[in-house]
Structures are given as structure tokens and as C-alpha cells.
Amino acid sequence: MTHVQPITEFFTEIWSRTSEPLPPPEQWVVWATAAAALVLITFGPSWRLSRHVVTIAHEGAHAFVALCTGRKLSGIRLHSDTSGLTVSYGKPRGFGMILTALAGYVGPGLVGLGAAFLLRQGYAVGLLWLLIVLLALMLVQIRNWFGLLSILVSGVVLVLVSWYAPTEWQTATAYLVTWFLLIGAPRPVLELQRSRRSGQAKTSDADILAKLTIFPGLFWVGVFLLVTLGALVLGSWWIGAWSVSDLPKFGDLPKF
């Protein structure tokens, strides 16, 4: 019992932190984290490093959808050049394979959208712990050393912030991660099309989808871009303190 009690108290404390909604941060925090995310994404050196976060979300989305559609997951690899590979087995064609191939490029934006929804409900700390759980689940499927290092570093940073940082810093970190996923998701799609145009991405997700469906690869690039931009717009609406109640009522409109 003496060994079980500290563990029970630890998880009780985590549940207490994650299940308690927090008041929204001041607007300057929301937009400062958005600006910081934008700098990370648009500045070349920082993007080359931070892009690994998008790759983790990309490959995690492939893995999640593969499992949900009944495919057998073999492993995930994350590479130092920010590329990745998720291997699953099942029917080589069909709806499950299409959804699995589709999930990668839209994954970071949709994860960011889900994170924005949690932030809108006040669960900033809960979001951080949920991301830690998802990283832990990915960890058991990692099949190379760099991938292991990427997941461990990301997880340790989130654990340290979630357990030791003041609530204000936890909230700011949750907003930064969310903005980064939302704003950063469209950029790999644009990079994909550049690579396809130069003939360097013949086995990309878009080209795999072209072989699985009647639509060309460019169509699927357009789908990726539409979904990621849509997630960015909706997610920004949710966490930018805009709501339907903020819009002018019909009776408040100026009369001419």
C-alpha cells in the first residue's frame, strides 16, 4: 500500500489539473503566442528544427487512421531531415487505405483544430497532458533512434511544463503549440507541391491517393490545402476570442 499510495496521488493530482477549466488568458497572450508560432514557421532555421513537431503529428495521424480502419500498424520512423514513414498492413486498396493516405497532411491541422476546441473550453493543461499521452502511445511504435529521440524530447518538455511551470506558462505553451499546428500545417502542403513539380516526390501521399482513386495528385494537394486552411480559419476563430455573441445583432446594425 505504501508504494501504491504515491502513484495514486500522482494520477489524482494530474486528473485534478486536467479536469479543471481555466479562465481564458489575456488577449495579448493569445496573439503573442500566435506571433511566436508564425516566426517559428516563417524563419528558415527555426522551421527546420520545429518542423519535426509537424512530422510527429503527420505520422501520428497516419498511424491513428490506419488502426481505426482495421489495418495492422507495423511501425513509425521519424528522420532527421523532417521526413517520416508509417508502415501498416492490410488491403492495398479500398476506403481504409485511402483514409490512411489522406490523414497525414491534414493531420497536423486537425490536431490543431482539436487543440483549439479544448482551449476554447478552458482545458489548456488538459491539452498538454493529452498530448503527452498521445506521444507515449506513439513511442511504442517508433522503430528508429532519431524517432525515439524526437518523441522523448517532445514528451519531456511537455511533462516539465505541465508539472513544474506556473499555470500562466502552461496556458501560454498550450496556445503556442496549438497556433504552431494550425499555422504550420499548410506549409508542408505547399512544400509538397513544390517537390512534386520538380519531380522529387513521386511516392508522396498525394500520388499514392492518385493511384488509389480517379483523381490526380494535384487534386489531393488541393484537398490537403483546403482542409489545413479551413482548420486554421476555424481554429483561429475559436481561440482568437471571437464568438457568435461577439458579432453585431441584427437590431444593432445601423439603419439608413
Side-chain angles (χ1 to χ4, degrees), residues 116-134:
F117 177 79
L118 290 176
L119 292 181
R120 187 174 176 83
Q121 309 306 313
Y123 295 110
V125 179
L127 168 61
L128 295 180
W129 281 105
L130 177 60
L131 292 175
I132 291 168
V133 170
L134 293 177

Side-chain angles (χ1 to χ4, degrees), residues 36-248:
L38 185 62
V39 170
L40 287 173
I41 293 161
T42 55
F43 183 54
S46 62
W47 173 243
R48 283 191 289 273
L49 179 62
S50 60
R51 194 186 190 283
H52 290 291
V53 175
V54 177
T55 303
I56 290 173
H58 179 116
E59 300 304 330
H62 276 313
F64 176 75
V65 174
L67 291 173
C68 288
T69 55
R71 299 181 62 80
K72 183 179 179 181
L73 190 60
S74 176
I76 302 171
R77 292 178 176 270
L78 304 172
H79 303 130
S80 59
D81 63 355
T82 73
S83 65
L85 177 66
T86 299
V87 179
S88 63
Y89 294 97
K91 294 181 180 179
R93 306 188 70 86
F95 193 58
M97 185 61 199
I98 292 173
L99 287 180
T100 300
L102 177 63
Y105 278 97
V106 303
L110 294 180
V111 171
L113 185 61
F117 177 79
L118 290 176
L119 292 181
R120 187 174 176 83
Q121 309 306 313
Y123 295 110
V125 179
L127 168 61
L128 295 180
W129 281 105
L130 177 60
L131 292 175
I132 291 168
V133 170
L134 293 177
L135 288 173
L137 292 175
M138 281 190 68
L139 187 63
V140 300
Q141 291 293 337
I142 294 296
R143 296 294 182 266
N144 68 325
W145 287 110
F146 185 84
L148 181 66
L149 178 64
S150 296
I151 297 294
L152 285 176
V153 169
S154 302
V156 167
V157 170
L158 289 178
V159 168
L160 292 176
V161 171
S162 302
W163 191 254
Y164 294 107
T167 303
E168 294 79 7
W169 282 99
Q170 293 174 352
T171 300
T173 301
Y175 272 82
L176 177 61
V177 171
T178 301
W179 278 120
F180 182 82
L181 290 171
L182 289 172
I183 301 173
R187 179 164 179 175
V189 179
L190 300 176
E191 293 173 346
L192 167 66
Q193 183 53 29
R194 262 199 316 268
S195 298
R196 293 184 70 253
R197 200 164 49 234
S198 61
Q200 298 177 354
K202 296 180 180 179
T203 59
S204 70
D205 292 347
D207 295 285
I208 291 173
L209 285 164
K211 295 176 181 178
L212 294 171
T213 66
I214 61 173
F215 301 105
L218 184 60
F219 169 85
W220 291 108
V221 173
V223 171
F224 298 159
L225 191 59
L226 182 64
V227 172
T228 53
L229 289 176
L232 172 58
V233 171
L234 183 55
S236 300
W237 182 283
W238 282 347
I239 63 177
W242 303 331
S243 66
V244 175
S245 61
D246 297 325
L247 299 176

